[in-house]
Amino acid sequence: MQVLVRDNNVDQALRVLKKKMQREGLFREMKERSAYEKPSERRVREKAQAISRQRKAARKKMQREGLLAGPKRVATAR
């Protein structure tokens, strides 16, 4: 992973790096690997994640087809 530092602005480059790492799921993986996880716990977690993904996909499909209302939009003052 590579981030360019422009005008010696290290703070901005660090923010960009953290955002990239977050998107890649690196922080989640580091947290998972920090402690041993029993195989039975791993199966339970993975099954729960799979169910969550399925529900999310079904919800998005229903929204696209117009059977469900879309996500609520937050109004921002400009």
Side-chain angles (χ1 to χ4, degrees), residues 42-76:
R42 181 171 167 247
R43 278 192 298 271
V44 169
R45 178 181 51 81
E46 287 178 350
K47 185 164 186 159
Q49 287 175 341
I51 290 170
S52 177
R53 277 194 309 272
Q54 289 284 340
R55 285 184 180 158
K56 183 177 179 180
R59 189 169 53 245
K60 283 187 168 281
K61 182 179 178 191
M62 290 178 75
Q63 286 175 353
R64 279 194 306 269
E65 293 173 355
L67 300 174
L68 267 180
K72 293 181 182 177
R73 296 180 185 242
V74 179
T76 57

